[in-house]
Amino acid sequence: MVSLALEGVEARYGRKQILTDASTPEIEGGMLTALVGANAAGKSTLFRRIAGQLRGAGRVRLSGAEAGDLRYMPQDTAMSAALTVYESIILALKQGTGGWRLSPRELAAVDAVLHRFGIDHLAQRQLPELSGGQRQSVSIAQTLVTRPKLVLMDEPTSALDLYRQYEVLEALRRYAEETGAVVILALHDLNQVMRACTTTLALAEGRILATGPTLEVLTPALIRRLYGIDSRVERCSRGCPMMIVDGPAPHPPGQQVGT
Amino acid sequence: MSAVTTNSTSHALDYRAGVARRLAILLSLTGLLVLSVAVDVSLGPARYPLGDVFRTIFAPGAAELQMRVVIWDIRMPMALLAVTVGASLSLAGAQMQTILANPLASPFTLGLSAAASFGAAMAMVLGVALFPAAVELMVPLNAFAMAMAASLLIFGLSTLRGVTVETIVLLGIALVFTFNAALALMQYFASEQALAAVVFWTMGSLTKATWGKVAVTAAILLVCTPLFARRAWALTAIRLGETRAAAMGVPVRRLRLEALLLVSLLAAVPVAFVGTIGFIGIVGPHVARLLLGEDQRFFLPGAMLSGAVILSATSVLSKAILPGAVLPIGIITALVGVPFFAALILTKGRKSW
Ligand SMILES: Nc1ncnc2c1ncn2[C@@H]1O[C@H](COP(=O)(O)OP(=O)(O)OP(=O)(O)O)[C@@H](O)[C@H]1O
Ligand SMILES: [Mg+2]
């Protein structure tokens, strides 16, 4: 089984320090982990730091997988090139290899990932002709076609419609279960988090404030601290936990959203 | 389940069909190139039938002496230089466009041609040889030195932190204006004879072709092409955007620097030999992109082939338009190429740029 742990991870852009001391206990693979936090809390920055695109003090400890097994899906899904969806996924698959030819097994892997995320029908479409949500689905398929053991996805459902959100989260959950991969998703919709993610990391003030089983982390107190929102957790008619928003908290916390 | 299986294999089949289609296009371009070179060799003050041309090329011993000399010593170097120069400039433009994410990037628009013209004019007007050891080669050597200096300046700038592709393109445009102004100043003070030489040089011409020049340009292509080919997947990925390429594990900065260095070499030498042939570096890649898409496995050979075909065909035209005269090839590329190119992108433009 794969697992990941952060020890005092820092990250900065020039002199601007974003993460001061991000530490987590062992994050286990085989299920979905959510990363939540306000805008500009540093979620994308933490992903870039783990992916090795930013350097800084602290350690990213990975067991059961190598650094090469990591795939990071950026928040920005813009892609424009005269390529078909199918070719763009081949591209992700063949990256880092020298060979120009594709084996039947590689083509089967491309087919499988298209099918897994329900975008078979987009295979021969040109990238610039896709809608925003279609592009996001393609981007997810590109990220997972190599079957990575450590997956960081920055807001993978932000452009998806309601049905696709649940479909994609379910496909991601199954992927984690099948491969034992550590899959961390940065998400803003706490209802998605409660429904799909077993574990949650809450990021604020440059560090991980809380880690643990989702419902234990996402308490009304923590949600008020993260977002300045009053809320409570109830159950939907099928038993799923869900968050009801009552409104902005009367005393906004010191941290300002959007800075 | 069976529906899924059929569906899956059909994508793989579609993909294979796409590969076959593009291989067929590459093959046709190659055929076109051979034909164009043969016609190019047959044309001149004396016109030879194509059959005789092929016979002289493949069995030189059997051909009559005069025809052998004309074909082998005069026309073949010219025709082949059109091929190597066209391929080099087009490949250079293609990779500049790729790594700078700009459809207008080319050796011409980034100031390499202007720098080369300035270097050549230095030799012709002022008699300054940047390499005093080889005075008889001072025009091409000066041109090469200045083109290389210009591209190394661009290269040096792009190694600095925080420099974006837009900055690089803007610097290139600034270089064009600077060198053009310097060139104009030199022309203003030049003697009439030197002025004529400079003007003729900047028009671009293949008439000074030699086997040596063919060999040098071919050697550079032979060195650079495999280095690009090894990076084909990464170069294609960069077209998806910097963040996306980085997410796929492409070392974007390093790749960009490596490619810029190769491109400098690839562009500076041909420009030094043939002068300003501005259009190939933009059109060649765009034609290849329209025909083959952006997958570098096809785009890379496609850009070279289309550049070679275009310059070779232009060479044919430059002899055919006014029988007995060889018009400067730089003029023909622009005059004939531009309308053709405009028609092409307006009728078949994909939305990628
Ligand atoms: N390339 C950069 N250069 C300088 N500062 C940056 C850069 N990228 C992000 N920042 C800053 O780092 C902080 C954290 O940004 P980050 O993108 O990690 O936030 P986030 O949690 O992902 O936010 P969001 O929910 O809006 O995506 C912000 O203050 C942002 O302005
Ligand atoms: Mg973000």
Side-chain angles (χ1 to χ4, degrees), chain B residues 205-230:
Chain B
S205 160
L206 292 169
T207 46
K208 295 216 175 63
T210 61
W211 278 109
K213 290 179 181 176
V214 173
V216 171
T217 45
I220 290 172
L221 269 179
L222 279 178
V223 171
C224 293
T225 310
L227 293 175
F228 279 125
R230 267 198 9 221

Side-chain angles (χ1 to χ4, degrees), chain A residues 53 71-72 74 76-83 86-88 90-92 94-95 97-100 102-104 107 111 114-115 120 123-124 126-129 139 142, chain B residues 4 7-12 14-16 22 229-230 232-237 239-240 243-244 246-250 289 293-298 300-301 350-352:
Chain A
Q53 294 184 4
R71 278 291 175 281
Y72 157 58
D76 176 15
T77 61
M79 292 182 271
S80 63
L83 291 174
Y86 200 81
E87 289 171 327
S88 81
I90 287 177
L91 192 58
K94 295 293 279 185
Q95 222 41 256
T97 67
W100 278 21
L102 279 115
S103 66
L107 289 176
D111 282 337
L114 284 172
H115 185 63
D120 279 304
Q124 301 307 326
Q126 292 283 322
L127 289 182
E129 293 167 4
S139 172
Q142 288 173 351
Chain B
V4 171
N7 213 352
S8 304
T9 41
S10 93
H11 292 319
D14 277 350
Y15 168 75
R16 297 243 184 255
R22 284 176 287 187
R230 267 198 9 221
W233 295 113
L235 285 165
T236 313
R239 282 292 299 121
L240 293 176
T243 17
R244 191 131 300 267
M248 289 182 178
V250 176
R289 203 174 281 117
E294 310 235 31
D295 186 336
Q296 289 260 345
R297 290 176 299 163
F298 307 101
L300 177 85
R350 292 202 186 148
K351 284 176 220 132
S352 61

Side-chain angles (χ1 to χ4, degrees), chain A residues 39-40 42-45 48 75 154-155 186 188:
Chain A
N39 286 145
K43 301 180 295 299
S44 304
T45 305
R48 279 183 214 127
Q75 184 168 1
D154 206 344
E155 303 190 22
H188 279 307

Side-chain angles (χ1 to χ4, degrees), chain A residues 102-126:
Chain A
L102 279 115
S103 66
R105 245 185 69 214
E106 288 171 321
L107 289 176
V110 177
D111 282 337
V113 81
L114 284 172
H115 185 63
R116 183 187 281 273
F117 290 97
I119 46 172
D120 279 304
H121 59 291
L122 298 180
Q124 301 307 326
R125 294 276 293 277
Q126 292 283 322

